Amino acid sequence: MKRRNFIKALGATTAVATLGSKRAQADAKKYKWKMVTSWPKNFPGLGVGAENLAKMINDLSGGRIKIKVFGANELVPPLGVFDFVSEGGAEIGHTGAYYWKGKHPACQFFSSVPFGLNAQEMNAWMYYGGGLELYEELYNQFNLVPRPAGNTGVQMGGWFNKEINTIEDLKGLTMRIPGLGGEVLQRAGGVPVTLAGAEIFTALQTGTIDATEWVGPYNDRAFGLYKAAKYYYYPGWHEPGPSLECIINKKAYLSLPSDLQNIIDISCKAVNIDMLSDYMSKNNLALDFLKKEDIKIKKFPDSVIKKLREISKEVMDEVGNHDDYTKKIYKSYYTFLKKVRPWTKISELAYLEGNN
Ligand code: CA
């Protein structure tokens, strides 16, 4: 008996030793990854967020994962990021889910939708409301693991060269406003166009477009949009809290030991809050700057917002009922919004109204 136990124990020790050395091998393995992004390299907020994410993963892993970051068009065009990471051309990417509505209409719910969740509510849905599980399920069919990795907070409504007093003022207006916001503008009689960030200023200055939205004071100042339009409207009803995303090739993610997977997950979460804080702190500095320029910062009239909200509801009902899978995500998103909004109103909103 004793001898048998001894041999068994010896076997177990050998198994543990083998396991230990396998673990040591996995720990020693170095990964060299490429990150493709949809942003100009080091662009304020978005591009900086991607750089921060790569650096954090490198630092926290003690150099076991080294990530080289590529700006838009360095390896692939801004809108080529999804396919490139999905096919394994790069292991990881930083981008925005609203670019992928052509892949699946449900993608848009994981960035921002008109009159949808704000940044704080969006994070609550993602992390504690079932959003992230649905996001993973959706991206799984594209060989991708998605993680929220940044948020701009509520955006601005955009730059106009005339006052917007009624919904009629949007009729015939050519505006750079992509995605679902563009769809809403079109139904209000406007002409939405999609332009990459770098093309906006010239288009606005030469009159190719009458108006544009971009992000908020921090990014809009960087593009010099205040030199090409007189009226700066708020709020960004079309993008109330856009979540940016980190996408990881599924095979590459699964090839990592679990501690490195955790490091990626935690780094995405850290960058998610970091980018929002960066925007919050820089937007107000840029707003101070813009207030001194020869422009007017104006709020959309209530009647215009009300009409845009009605049209948005129509658009979202159509998008949400596109197919069974989108329906499931649409239902989760709006069920959460209906539950969380009463609390936002009696907490954040009531506090701000009483304290300005
Ligand atoms: Ca925008």
Side-chain angles (χ1 to χ4, degrees):
M1 274 304 282
K2 271 185 186 168
R3 188 181 143 78
R4 240 188 1 232
N5 279 346
F6 174 72
I7 290 170
K8 234 164 94 182
L10 198 68
T13 314
T14 315
V16 168
T18 310
L19 206 67
S21 97
K22 272 192 180 154
R23 173 78 210 267
Q25 278 171 16
D27 285 354
K29 186 161 180 198
K30 298 250 195 293
Y31 298 84
K32 276 197 168 169
W33 279 16
K34 291 192 275 284
M35 179 190 278
V36 284
T37 73
S38 298
W39 330 118
K41 206 157 159 64
N42 281 316
F43 188 74
L46 305 168
V48 170
E51 292 285 346
N52 284 344
L53 178 61
K55 185 175 183 308
M56 200 176 299
I57 294 170
N58 179 56
D59 290 353
L60 290 180
S61 70
R64 286 157 66 204
I65 309 183
K66 273 211 163 17
I67 298 179
K68 186 168 163 48
V69 182
F70 295 87
N73 294 318
E74 286 190 323
L75 272 187
V76 279
L79 304 188
V81 169
F82 189 96
D83 283 342
F84 200 61
V85 178
S86 169
E87 288 155 10
E91 291 79 5
I92 189 167
H94 193 271
T95 179
Y98 45 18
Y99 295 135
W100 319 127
K101 70 171 181 180
K103 305 287 172 196
H104 200 296
C107 289
Q108 300 168 104
F109 287 99
F110 300 105
S111 56
S112 202
V113 302
F115 295 96
L117 300 164
N118 71 13
Q120 207 168 337
E121 295 166 337
M122 186 68 185
N123 285 332
W125 179 58
M126 287 279 205
Y127 297 132
Y128 290 99
L132 185 53
E133 287 80 1
L134 291 168
Y135 198 7
E136 284 176 336
E137 197 184 321
L138 176 65
Y139 276 42
N140 189 41
Q141 55 187 294
F142 300 102
N143 263 333
L144 294 168
V145 176
R147 297 282 177 259
N151 200 306
T152 64
V154 61
Q155 299 200 352
M156 284 293 280
W159 297 88
F160 298 80
N161 267 315
K162 64 170 190 179
E163 281 192 45
I164 304 300
N165 295 316
T166 72
I167 197 80
E168 299 295 314
D169 291 323
L170 296 177
K171 291 225 160 89
L173 188 92
T174 304
M175 178 171 182
R176 185 267 177 194
I177 173 169
L180 294 165
E183 179 64 36
V184 175
L185 179 76
Q186 188 159 31
R187 291 187 195 198
V191 184
V193 296
T194 301
L195 288 176
E199 301 164 40
I200 296 175
F201 178 79
T202 312
L204 188 61
Q205 203 183 32
T206 56
T208 308
I209 53 174
D210 305 314
T212 185
E213 70 81 51
W214 176 227
V215 182
Y218 180 29
N219 284 158
D220 295 8
R221 179 192 171 180
F223 272 170
L225 299 178
Y226 60 94
K227 293 176 198 158
K230 198 162 172 53
Y231 299 98
Y232 195 21
Y233 272 93
Y234 66 91
W237 54 272
H238 60 300
E239 287 180 297
S243 188
L244 287 317
E245 65 182 7
C246 169
I247 49 176
I248 309 134
N249 177 276
K250 194 175 148 196
K251 206 170 141 207
Y253 185 81
L254 293 179
S255 75
L256 298 175
S258 62
D259 66 324
L260 291 183
Q261 290 177 351
N262 283 336
I263 283 173
I264 291 183
D265 293 354
I266 296 294
S267 300
C268 287
K269 229 170 175 173
V271 165
N272 197 28
I273 186 72
D274 190 71
M275 191 191 290
L276 186 61
S277 311
D278 187 29
Y279 270 103
M280 193 74 182
S281 71
K282 305 278 176 32
N283 270 332
N284 67 50
L285 297 176
L287 188 63
D288 280 347
F289 170 88
L290 292 172
K291 278 177 181 166
K292 291 180 196 121
E293 293 300 308
D294 184 23
I295 57 162
K296 289 207 165 74
I297 300 172
K298 291 178 79 80
K299 191 178 178 192
F300 284 123
D302 290 348
S303 64
V304 171
I305 287 290
K306 185 169 176 275
K307 188 67 195 161
L308 291 171
R309 198 170 59 228
E310 284 164 14
I311 302 172
S312 297
K313 191 174 178 314
E314 259 172 50
V315 171
M316 292 319 297
D317 284 348
E318 276 172 38
V319 172
N321 287 297
H322 177 271
D323 58 90
D324 284 348
Y325 193 71
T326 306
K327 221 182 260 183
K328 185 166 120 177
I329 294 172
Y330 168 75
K331 196 164 167 253
S332 167
Y333 186 96
Y334 282 101
T335 304
F336 191 80
L337 192 151
K338 277 194 191 114
K339 275 200 298 199
V340 82
R341 190 53 56 81
W343 170 242
T344 302
K345 281 185 181 165
I346 67 167
S347 57
E348 305 292 334
L349 183 65
Y351 167 72
L352 291 172
E353 277 174 350
N355 194 30
N356 64 16

